[in-house]
Amino acid sequence: MPRTALSRGRRPPPKPAPKPTYTRRTPVEIDLAADQLALAAALCGIVQGDQIICPWGCEIKPGRKTVKLVSDKKYIKCFKCGQYKGAINLVADTLGVPFYQAVDLLTGKDTPEKLSPAAAAKLAEARSRATDVMQMSFAAELSERTVKAYNAVLASKHASLAIAQKYYGQWHISPEAVATVGFVYITDPDALARELVSDHGIEAIVASGLAKLLEDGDRDNTGTGLRWMFSANYPVVEPQLDPKGRCFAMQFRPSNAQKRKVLAHKADPDKHKYVPPFMSLRGATGEHLIGINLEHLCSIPPTRVDIVEGAKDVAADLTLGNEAFGMPGTGVPPPKKSIDALRRAGHTLRVCMDGDTAGVASQDKVLEHFVAHGFPAERITKHRMPAGKDVTDILVEHVERASKQ
């Protein structure tokens, strides 16, 4: 018998224990990951441009935004097939990774490059499908004729600054702030639709993304043969103006009637199932989305400017006595031309994303995006907002507290 450690009465040396895999994640990490709906869609390869592809295989008509990010419910839903899923489960199921790795991917602790070959293959397949669909999708044109159409909306006799000032007054936003940012309220959407077609032609209007040709089953409410992004339900216009005052994009905010439905839904979600989204310019691309309040900021001396989320927060920050620049869209960073305009204006920037989980998580990304696109690092800082609050919340609290005193 050969002499071994065992034959000599000694135990063989123990094998090194495998490195433990920690699969538990804290509630804070899970909540942060659950908020990352847009990142989940991107990781799964189902989003390109302004369109999200159904993860469950629905055939979507070109340019139609059937899949929505329902942020207050924390899930991605296809309104065609009715299926929905949260960010973590969507990433885990689509890529075939465990729950904890899906959390790590969404919180930045892990990267897609570290995926297993099987998960990487699933990711490549999803991205390929999204690319095939996006090749058929509509992209709005940005040209002299479409910019004229956008500006015509703002200058129309059917667009009222005074009513817009009254509308935003319910959040205590000042009339001066509304005028500075350029908001208007469409008083007669049908008349404006006919006016735009008469002055600019159907081809230019469709190319601009303000409207689309009617499809089977659509009602011709305006008599123009088009389905418009603005309507009596979405009459509030929030434009994105370049330094020369040219409108490159716009968003349409719900009317007060729609707003009441939103508030009712939040108060009693079991009874009210209606969550109206904001209507954006159809097919808007990165060229269109230049950000809010750029024209004003390029006309004033160098000062500190807050980077905030959304047009309403820009107006609220102006009311509070600050200067502000609004991100072009939810999770959409501004293009280099907007960053260059702010740099040339000599401003210093303060990143003030919302105080919710997603806003806090995006602070560093926004700062890094500005620096990566040429904004001096010494002229940009971060400011953490109060937990769960945005600039409009702070304005409302400030005014109501002052009125009580």
Side-chain angles (χ1 to χ4, degrees):
M1 179 177 177
R3 294 179 61 80
T4 64
L6 188 61
S7 65
R8 292 194 297 270
R10 287 180 289 146
R11 294 179 180 273
K15 295 181 179 179
K19 188 176 180 180
T21 300
Y22 297 101
T23 59
R24 299 189 66 179
R25 296 296 178 264
T26 67
V28 173
E29 291 174 318
I30 293 172
D31 284 345
L32 175 60
D35 285 331
Q36 308 304 312
L37 296 176
L39 178 57
L43 283 172
C44 295
I46 59 171
V47 60
Q48 290 186 11
D50 71 332
Q51 185 169 348
I52 303 174
I53 312 306
C54 176
W56 302 281
C58 280
E59 293 297 328
I60 300 173
K61 293 182 180 181
R64 174 161 289 184
K65 297 182 181 180
T66 304
V67 182
K68 304 290 185 183
L69 305 181
V70 188
S71 56
D72 62 331
K73 292 290 187 181
K74 297 187 179 182
Y75 57 63
I76 296 174
K77 180 174 182 177
C78 176
F79 285 84
K80 183 175 182 181
C81 68
Q83 296 192 65
Y84 60 90
K85 192 166 286 188
I88 302 172
N89 288 332
L90 180 66
V91 171
D93 294 347
T94 303
L95 303 184
V97 298
F99 182 89
Y100 73 87
Q101 189 177 8
V103 172
D104 289 349
L105 286 167
L106 291 167
T107 56
K109 286 187 175 181
D110 207 345
T111 62
E113 291 74 21
K114 297 180 182 179
L115 293 174
S116 67
K122 287 187 176 182
L123 178 60
E125 180 183 355
R127 285 179 173 167
S128 175
R129 177 172 173 267
T131 301
D132 291 342
V133 174
M134 287 304 298
Q135 287 176 350
M136 302 183 295
S137 295
F138 171 81
E141 174 186 310
L142 185 61
S143 63
E144 183 177 351
R145 67 172 182 169
T146 58
V147 169
K148 283 183 178 179
Y150 303 146
N151 280 96
V153 172
L154 304 178
S156 171
K157 63 183 180 182
H158 304 295
S160 169
L161 169 62
I163 299 179
Q165 290 169 327
K166 182 178 180 181
Y167 174 88
Y168 286 96
Q170 60 193 313
W171 292 284
H172 307 295
I173 293 172
S174 70
E176 293 78 14
V178 175
T180 296
V181 186
F183 300 153
V184 296
Y185 193 106
I186 299 173
T187 56
D188 190 339
D190 294 351
L192 174 59
R194 292 189 290 269
E195 178 183 283
L196 290 172
V197 169
S198 174
D199 293 345
H200 302 274
I202 287 182
E203 182 182 348
I205 294 301
V206 172
S208 73
L210 286 168
K212 59 184 293 188
L213 295 173
L214 294 176
E215 299 175 354
D216 293 342
D218 288 343
R219 290 184 298 176
D220 189 0
N221 295 324
T222 63
T224 59
L226 299 174
R227 183 178 179 181
W228 295 81
M229 302 307 296
F230 57 80
S231 65
N233 286 332
Y234 290 87
V236 186
V237 183
E238 297 176 336
Q240 298 186 25
L241 307 174
D242 79 344
K244 296 181 180 179
R246 299 174 299 181
C247 184
F248 277 29
M250 55 183 59
Q251 178 174 275
F252 305 97
R253 184 175 286 275
S255 65
N256 279 328
Q258 298 293 86
K259 179 173 173 285
R260 283 192 290 272
K261 290 183 179 180
V262 178
L263 295 176
H265 170 85
K266 290 181 178 179
D268 189 357
D270 293 330
K271 183 178 179 181
H272 301 274
K273 301 297 183 183
Y274 184 75
V275 186
F278 294 110
M279 301 295 288
S280 299
L281 191 68
R282 177 173 175 257
T285 66
E287 283 188 291
H288 295 81
L289 302 175
I290 58 175
I292 299 100
N293 204 32
L294 197 59
E295 178 192 20
H296 169 68
L297 293 174
C298 291
S299 67
I300 62 175
T303 187
R304 189 194 72 192
V305 173
D306 293 338
I307 308 297
V308 300
E309 294 185 45
K312 181 155 64 72
D313 280 354
V314 171
D317 212 20
L318 292 175
T319 304
L320 287 167
N322 303 312
E323 296 292 348
F325 171 79
M327 296 285 281
T330 305
V332 180
K336 189 177 189 307
K337 58 187 176 184
S338 298
I339 296 173
D340 287 342
L342 293 170
R343 175 181 53 78
R344 289 192 298 267
H347 299 309
T348 57
L349 305 182
R350 185 174 68 162
V351 181
C352 303
M353 296 293 99
D354 292 352
D356 56 18
T357 306
V360 172
S362 67
Q363 291 271 77
D364 288 330
K365 294 178 182 179
V366 172
L367 188 148
E368 291 167 2
H369 175 81
F370 272 79
V371 173
H373 287 78
F375 198 88
E378 65 274 12
R379 283 167 48 193
I380 183 169
T381 58
K382 294 183 297 180
H383 174 73
R384 186 157 183 169
M385 300 289 287
K389 300 185 186 301
D390 58 22
V391 179
T392 304
D393 295 330
I394 293 173
L395 172 62
V396 172
E397 289 182 356
H398 173 78
V399 174
E400 291 179 352
R401 186 167 55 248
S403 64
K404 290 179 180 179
Q405 292 175 351

